[in-house]
Amino acid sequence: MAETNKKKFVISQKFENVLNGGAQIGQGNEHFDISWRLRIQPENLGNPKFSIELDCFVDPAYLKWSIDTVIQWEIISKSGEKKIIEKSGYSIQKYSNPSICFDWSTLDCSADDDWITVECHVEILKVFGFSKKRFRKFDEETMKNVSDVILKVDGEQFFVSKLFLASQTSFFKFFLLDSPPLEKCENSENSGNSENSGIPEFPLENIDANDFQVFLEVLYGELSIDDDTVIQLLELAEKFGAPTVTQQCEHYMCLETDIHLLKQLELSLKFKLDILKEHCLSDIETVYDLHKILPENVADLPSPVMALLFEKVMTFF
């Protein structure tokens, strides 16, 4: 079964002694329960042409799988020049990893600058053959006896308690309890009773089933938040009016996340996370601290983040 994900991440790796050092393998990075790493391989020692490969390691228990992606390859030289080499779609499969060939001579650097940084920007479109580990089941077998409504998301059924959801979210309080039955039917053309269980079933549109699974897990008290899910959880928490999920996400980012501080600031402003905002700002105590986190092109910063950092800089004087 295909799963629609559309998740993004970036792997960055510095390689030294590129022209004369032979094959090199970067450090592993975990994203979406899959280990990724970059490697480079010169055609011959001293030859300016070499290949860059993105290794993808999936649990061998999954015998047949694929990942549809869009990948943008970037090279950063010692001089700081960033060069986009290629951007294209790849279907990653077992024993078939994406790779490109690159000519060192196209970079504006000398033979003495024998190192580069490779950045690989990956967007996952769809995955086939495996899914993210689930901490709690919401299927008919597990939840039927304690559920009185089914939510159908992206073709998947979630058996839940409407009283519990109503107590946790403003959206489901209105949708499942407060709105008249006729209005529910008008807003849910495919609503009705499940043929197998007899429990009322309502579809939710434009939501990823995996994201909704994690959202429910957090509502039910599971420790399911990580760097790969926290942004989608914040979006669903805002959509459904779920302050518990928002607070859990904020708590996670204050204590555990590896998300870049500037991205955290952006999220704190977007989702009104005041505790996270103050936590991030407390890590910027000097101009040097600020310089370390700023991007090469400051104009790339979102305007609200730039304004917030300007206010912080004014406190230094």
Side-chain angles (χ1 to χ4, degrees), residues 274-291:
D274 291 338
I275 295 176
L276 177 62
K277 181 182 71 174
E278 295 305 319
H279 176 78
C280 293
L281 291 176
S282 68
D283 287 340
I284 307 173
E285 298 180 342
T286 66
V287 174
Y288 175 72
D289 293 335
L290 181 62
H291 178 74

Side-chain angles (χ1 to χ4, degrees), residues 44-266:
N44 297 292
L45 293 183
N47 191 315
K49 294 183 179 180
F50 57 93
S51 64
I52 306 172
E53 183 173 345
L54 176 64
D55 289 341
C56 172
F57 296 92
V58 173
D59 190 322
Y62 299 107
L63 300 178
K64 188 176 181 180
W65 54 269
S66 65
I67 308 172
D68 287 350
T69 64
V70 174
I71 298 179
Q72 178 169 297
W73 307 83
E74 298 183 1
I75 300 290
I76 304 174
S77 67
K78 185 176 181 179
S79 63
E81 177 195 12
K82 178 178 286 191
K83 186 180 183 69
I84 298 176
I85 307 302
E86 181 181 304
K87 181 176 182 179
S88 58
Y90 293 87
S91 180
I92 306 174
Q93 300 177 19
K94 196 171 186 178
Y95 308 124
S96 177
N97 292 321
S99 64
I100 60 169
C101 291
F102 178 71
D103 190 331
W104 177 272
S105 62
T106 63
L107 272 181
D108 182 20
C109 57
S110 67
D112 295 332
D113 298 335
D114 193 9
W115 66 265
I116 57 170
T117 297
V118 178
E119 279 190 4
C120 189
H121 298 250
V122 181
E123 179 180 7
I124 296 177
L125 304 179
K126 290 183 180 179
V127 298
F128 300 84
F130 59 91
S131 59
K132 187 177 177 67
K133 177 182 176 182
R134 297 192 169 187
F135 293 90
R136 181 183 286 261
K137 294 182 179 180
F138 296 94
D139 57 8
E140 181 175 9
E141 180 181 355
T142 306
M143 297 290 289
K144 180 179 178 181
N145 292 334
V146 293
S147 303
D148 52 9
V149 68
I150 301 170
L151 300 176
K152 192 169 184 179
V153 180
D154 197 21
E156 185 171 343
Q157 290 182 321
F158 294 87
F159 287 71
V160 293
S161 163
K162 61 183 179 183
L163 286 177
F164 176 77
L165 286 185
S167 69
Q168 296 290 320
T169 69
S170 58
F171 173 87
F172 288 112
K173 180 178 184 298
F174 173 79
F175 184 70
L176 297 175
L177 296 183
D178 295 345
S179 61
L182 178 61
E183 182 177 343
K184 292 175 185 176
C185 292
E186 289 175 346
N187 291 334
S188 307
E189 295 179 1
N190 300 319
S191 62
N193 290 336
S194 171
E195 295 180 1
N196 297 327
S197 65
I199 301 176
E201 179 179 295
F202 299 96
L204 297 176
E205 305 295 336
N206 302 317
I207 300 173
D208 179 84
N210 291 317
D211 291 343
F212 192 69
Q213 167 75 28
V214 180
F215 173 77
L216 288 180
E217 288 177 357
V218 176
L219 274 185
Y220 278 78
E222 301 291 347
L223 301 176
S224 304
I225 305 174
D226 57 31
D227 284 356
D228 293 327
T229 61
V230 67
I231 296 177
Q232 288 80 18
L233 284 171
L234 284 168
E235 291 172 347
L236 288 180
E238 182 178 62
K239 178 183 181 72
F240 294 131
T244 297
V245 176
T246 300
Q247 291 165 10
Q248 290 299 319
C249 290
E250 184 173 32
H251 179 78
Y252 168 82
M253 285 193 287
C254 285
L255 298 179
E256 300 184 49
T257 188
D258 289 325
I259 294 176
H260 194 279
L261 188 142
L262 289 178
K263 183 62 177 180
Q264 291 186 60
L265 276 176
E266 181 182 350

